[in-house]
Amino acid sequence: MIYILLGLVIIFIAYFEVFIKQKFSSKTVLGFLCVVLILFAGLRNKVGTDWNSYYEFYQLGVTNVEIGYAELNNFFRGLEIHYNIFLIILNSFSLWLMFQFFNKNSEYKIIALLIFFSDLFLYFNLSGIRQAIATSITCFAFIYANNRKYYRFFICILIAMLFHLSAIIFALAYFVPRTKLKIKHYGILLVGFLMLSLSFSFLTDFITANTQKNADVYVNALENSSNLPKLFAIGILKRVVIIIVVIYFSKSFFVNKFRHYIFNIYLFGFAFYCSTYLISPDIGVRMSSYFTIFDTIVAGNLIMALKKTSERIIIVTVFSAIAIYKLMGYMDNEYYIYNTIF
């Protein structure tokens, strides 16, 4: 129930932001909510599918994961800092980077946080901690990609890979077209993802090799699911909403290269998801999420593009409904029954 309650609070503030934008300090409120999420993730106890693995890492030390996380884990473990303090430190770093991502790329920041909270925050920050850090670094790296500072961008990618090797996929974001896609672009994208789909077994082995033992649990549990086609269809429907609303309001939305760029990055992630999910659900979700997380700032920019308050309210309502649906899914998951250390 705590997920729904926190989601409703963020939804209320998102509506509030739309109604009184001129008198509303989005940056300040965003910062406050990020602090709340830091404590929410940091003070949890036995919450998340990866809890046991990461807790074991901290109790015994770890060497068989990416060096960035291993060094941080072993350093703070050596200081004999309580595990939850370590979680607070990790989430402070991760959410500070996400704060910068939302703040610099969207005028309407609370809707961005709502979309993030209802999905990838719970999926990563409460479970896949290493990818939470990697994703936040790649989101921060987008600032350099947008400004064409390629050396800083690729340095950030290398740093993100120190926490999760899958971050290498986001290097492709630099080469995503920054203008309206033409027929040839769609053709190239289609051929590229068909080739990816055919060779994805190798990619799956690469990503899961030498990572925590939970990777096998993820992949086997999902791939053997009799509900896989249904889950795939639901996943497509949830992700295609942003495409539908942007296309509907395309004349208002596509007024500069920046908006073309962020939407094209999202499309790239959506195509990646569609071409890989049925082969390896967890890996497909994890890899595509580096791009589909851009729905957070696409939504904020869409609201900014619309002049009528009624249209803005419709957009907030649509994404609020999707957020509640996602949060209800986490409520039904036994691994996400929320407990604190107190």
Side-chain angles (χ1 to χ4, degrees):
M1 192 62 182
I2 185 66
Y3 302 117
I4 296 293
L5 290 176
L6 188 50
L8 289 173
V9 169
I10 300 175
I11 288 171
F12 175 78
I13 298 174
Y15 277 111
F16 197 69
E17 182 182 31
V18 167
F19 278 112
I20 57 170
K21 176 63 180 175
Q22 300 303 320
K23 300 179 180 180
F24 186 83
S25 178
S26 296
K27 183 177 179 179
T28 301
V29 176
L30 176 65
F32 172 76
L33 290 174
C34 283
V35 171
V36 172
L37 294 188
I38 289 169
L39 296 176
F40 188 75
L43 298 178
R44 74 189 193 277
N45 182 41
K46 299 180 180 179
V47 180
T49 52
D50 280 354
W51 173 271
N52 290 334
S53 292
Y54 280 99
Y55 186 71
E56 183 179 299
F57 289 166
Y58 200 69
Q59 295 302 308
L60 304 178
V62 62
T63 57
N64 63 334
V65 298
E66 290 85 351
I67 189 172
Y69 185 82
E71 290 298 321
L72 278 180
N73 180 89
N74 296 337
F75 173 75
F76 284 103
R77 176 179 177 272
L79 297 177
E80 298 185 351
I81 292 176
H82 193 279
Y83 179 59
N84 287 90
I85 300 299
F86 177 57
L87 290 180
I88 288 175
I89 292 171
L90 292 181
N91 281 283
S92 295
F93 175 66
S94 173
L95 285 167
W96 180 80
L97 293 176
M98 294 307 301
F99 170 86
Q100 298 298 326
F101 177 61
F102 298 148
N103 184 53
K104 293 181 181 296
N105 297 299
S106 179
E107 286 293 325
Y108 286 83
K109 312 174 196 309
I110 309 304
I111 191 66
L113 186 69
L114 172 65
I115 295 170
F116 172 65
F117 167 71
S118 66
D119 194 359
L120 293 183
F121 171 79
L122 299 180
Y123 193 63
F124 290 147
N125 292 72
L126 265 64
S127 194
I129 302 173
R130 287 163 33 246
Q131 193 165 355
I133 298 172
T135 302
S136 64
I137 295 173
T138 59
C139 284
F140 184 79
F142 169 73
I143 298 171
Y144 299 125
N146 186 47
N147 294 326
R148 295 184 181 276
K149 296 181 178 180
Y150 67 91
Y151 54 96
R152 294 185 180 181
F153 172 76
F154 288 110
I155 287 174
C156 286
I157 298 301
L158 291 174
I159 294 173
M161 289 174 62
L162 295 177
F163 293 92
H164 207 280
L165 286 174
S166 62
I168 190 174
I169 193 69
F170 193 69
L172 296 175
Y174 193 86
F175 306 102
V176 170
R178 300 164 191 251
T179 56
K180 182 179 179 180
L181 293 179
K182 299 179 181 179
I183 297 298
K184 67 177 181 179
H185 292 137
Y186 288 110
I188 293 172
L189 194 65
L190 178 61
V191 172
F193 279 105
L194 285 174
M195 294 175 63
L196 174 64
S197 181
L198 293 174
S199 61
F200 195 60
S201 59
F202 167 78
L203 184 61
T204 301
D205 291 340
F206 172 72
I207 296 301
T208 57
N210 298 317
T211 58
Q212 81 268 31
K213 60 186 178 183
N214 283 66
D216 289 335
V217 176
Y218 275 129
V219 175
N220 291 334
L222 287 170
E223 289 179 352
N224 294 329
S225 172
S226 59
N227 292 325
L228 195 58
K230 178 182 177 181
L231 294 174
F232 181 49
I234 292 174
I236 289 178
L237 287 175
K238 289 189 296 184
R239 289 166 176 79
V240 80
V241 169
I242 192 80
I243 298 174
I244 293 173
V245 294
V246 166
I247 291 176
Y248 185 80
F249 294 108
S250 59
K251 290 184 178 180
S252 299
F253 182 79
F254 292 116
V255 295
N256 55 45
K257 288 185 177 180
F258 173 76
R259 290 180 182 169
H260 277 291
Y261 189 30
I262 59 175
F263 183 66
N264 290 344
I265 289 176
Y266 178 80
L267 280 180
F268 184 92
F270 179 73
F272 192 103
Y273 172 84
C274 292
S275 62
T276 58
Y277 183 88
L278 291 177
I279 301 172
S280 180
D282 185 66
I283 302 301
V285 171
R286 285 173 178 268
M287 297 288 279
S288 66
S289 66
Y290 288 104
F291 306 93
T292 55
I293 195 174
F294 277 73
D295 60 355
T296 56
I297 59 172
V298 169
N301 277 270
L302 179 60
I303 294 174
M304 183 64 185
L306 301 177
K307 303 303 180 183
K308 297 180 180 178
T309 301
S310 59
E311 292 178 335
R312 294 178 173 181
I313 291 173
I314 290 173
I315 299 301
V316 174
T317 301
V318 168
F319 286 104
S320 296
I322 295 174
I324 292 297
Y325 175 80
K326 291 178 179 179
L327 292 173
M328 289 176 65
Y330 282 101
M331 284 179 57
D332 294 334
N333 190 319
E334 61 179 316
Y335 292 105
Y336 281 88
I337 298 174
Y338 192 81
N339 299 291
T340 69
I341 60 173
F342 302 111

